[in-house]
Amino acid sequence: MESGDGWVVRLRPRGGRLSAAQAAAVADAAEAQGNGIIELTGRANLQLRGVTPDSHAPLIAALRAQDLIDADTDAERRRNILVTPFADAATDALAAALEAALAASGLTLPAKFGFAVDAGPLPVLTRDPADIRIERGPQGLTLRADGMATAPPLHDVTEALALAQWFLDQGGAPAGWGRMAALIAQGARPPGAVWPARAAAPAAQPGATAQGMLAALEFGQVPPDTLRRLSRLGPLRLTPWRMLLVQGARTLPDLPGVILDPQDPRLRLRACPGAPACPQAHAATRPLARDLAGLVPPGAVLHVSGCAKGCGWPRPADLTLTATPAGFDLIRHGRAADPAVRRGLHPDQLPRVL
């Protein structure tokens, strides 16, 4: 994908996992073939920025050597699977079986259509984007269409593909319904949904967990050397929360870009790359967000968007600042394109307005 600072290359590590060798390869590639910026996305993917037409081929070759590149783009597009970072061996095997089944299928799904393998004691990915969710019910695994409050039991991963085909049969092709929840909202109901969905676990916080240390990353960016050093402390699992789980670690050193304090005000910020990294952005976003972080109340979210697309946080936020050619628009409890309560604000006005 072309951006203001070069090409953006997105990676989908298998099962959301990175070995030390894979993490080192990603860090080396970001420095040698990109501009050194590595981002963790809201779908638990990695992005390398600043790639050029000349550096793209050697970057792909280096990452393919670490099994980080699919054989073809169709296989990669179908392999849109979000796996709980707290997965046990059985959950990892389930995700691998789903990946193999999708690779062998001929499904043509919308670009953002995805699956979540969230089979822990309580689901942790409920707030994160997925259209078909494998979760744990009162008597075993369930297969839940996003937007449904009930689900049938899951016996085999091929049933997940059948649910995806049902979505397509209802008109859920790229030219029709783009996401499962939108289809369900119109009254469509998949067959066999009988078990109630379980309540979601509390939102994850940086710091110690039973499986290791969760390291939050400012704006989801991890410096290459930080990625290398974290991977030496244990295998890494990617999350959609802009955090990395360092498996087995009980403590982490003070590393650039890493946030371990759940009360750190930077955790309340959401911001796209902004100008000049994005050619559609009307202003820089992240420096402004940092300046305003101390004004955001605990538990609230401030979203600073370079334009009305709102790519950095597609959900409603308590406060949203959308850059326009005339200044920043202020939206309360909405998205970047929602109606503003104040328009054309200069950055110097924002501390007083907020």
Side-chain angles (χ1 to χ4, degrees):
M1 180 176 67
E2 189 168 1
S3 191
D5 57 350
W7 289 357
V8 179
V9 174
R10 183 172 298 163
L11 304 177
R12 288 179 175 166
R14 300 184 188 282
R17 293 175 289 175
L18 279 179
S19 67
Q22 288 175 322
V26 171
D28 292 347
E31 291 176 330
Q33 283 92 34
N35 60 11
I37 295 176
I38 305 169
E39 298 174 325
L40 184 59
T41 76
R43 294 176 183 269
N45 297 322
L46 290 174
Q47 291 184 161
L48 278 64
R49 303 189 69 94
V51 179
T52 69
D54 290 337
S55 68
H56 182 258
L59 179 142
I60 296 300
L63 298 178
R64 178 172 283 124
Q66 292 293 334
D67 193 31
L68 289 166
I69 301 293
D70 289 88
D72 58 71
T73 55
D74 288 338
E76 181 186 289
R77 188 176 298 111
R78 286 193 291 269
R79 189 173 61 79
N80 191 6
I81 305 172
L82 188 59
V83 183
T84 169
F86 308 122
D88 57 14
T91 301
D92 283 335
L94 184 64
L98 177 59
E99 179 184 318
L102 285 169
S105 77
L107 290 171
T108 304
L109 294 165
K112 293 186 177 181
F113 192 96
F115 301 77
V117 180
D118 195 10
L122 289 176
V124 298
L125 302 175
T126 305
R127 306 170 188 86
D128 303 301
D131 297 272
I132 294 176
R133 300 177 182 274
I134 297 176
E135 298 170 339
R136 190 165 298 281
Q139 302 178 43
L141 295 176
T142 65
L143 182 68
R144 185 166 68 89
D146 193 42
M148 290 289 293
T150 56
L154 175 75
H155 305 98
D156 187 87
V157 293
T158 57
E159 294 167 349
L161 275 63
L163 181 56
Q165 185 61 58
W166 173 84
F167 169 83
L168 294 173
D169 292 343
Q170 306 304 305
W177 301 106
R179 303 303 300 273
M180 179 72 79
L183 177 61
I184 297 299
Q186 295 301 312
R189 293 294 180 267
V194 293
W195 287 352
R198 304 188 75 175
Q205 298 290 333
T209 73
Q211 293 83 5
M213 291 290 291
L214 270 174
L217 307 167
E218 186 186 32
F219 300 119
Q221 289 189 340
V222 54
D225 195 53
T226 295
L227 183 63
R228 293 188 191 96
R229 293 177 65 182
L230 288 174
S231 71
R232 295 180 194 132
L233 301 173
L236 301 182
R237 285 189 179 268
L238 281 61
T239 81
W241 316 313
R242 292 175 172 81
M243 302 186 202
L244 291 171
L245 176 66
V246 187
Q247 286 186 279
R250 291 294 169 257
T251 61
L252 292 179
D254 185 14
L255 295 172
V258 169
I259 301 170
L260 295 177
D261 179 3
Q263 302 306 315
D264 192 304
R266 291 174 294 173
L267 297 176
R268 305 165 199 163
L269 306 177
R270 307 292 186 272
C272 62
C278 176
Q280 298 182 20
H282 298 290
T285 55
R286 291 176 176 172
L288 176 62
R290 288 190 193 98
D291 290 343
L292 299 174
L295 302 177
V296 184
V301 171
L302 168 65
H303 175 205
V304 182
S305 183
C307 73
K309 290 175 63 178
C311 300
W313 187 247
R315 313 172 198 176
D318 299 276
L319 296 167
T320 298
L321 295 171
T322 301
T324 75
F328 284 91
D329 288 354
L330 171 64
I331 299 107
R332 296 190 182 274
H333 307 293
R335 298 176 173 85
D338 286 346
V341 296
R342 296 283 300 272
R343 295 187 180 277
L345 295 167
H346 188 275
D348 292 344
Q349 296 176 274
L350 296 174
R352 184 174 65 258
V353 171
L354 296 185

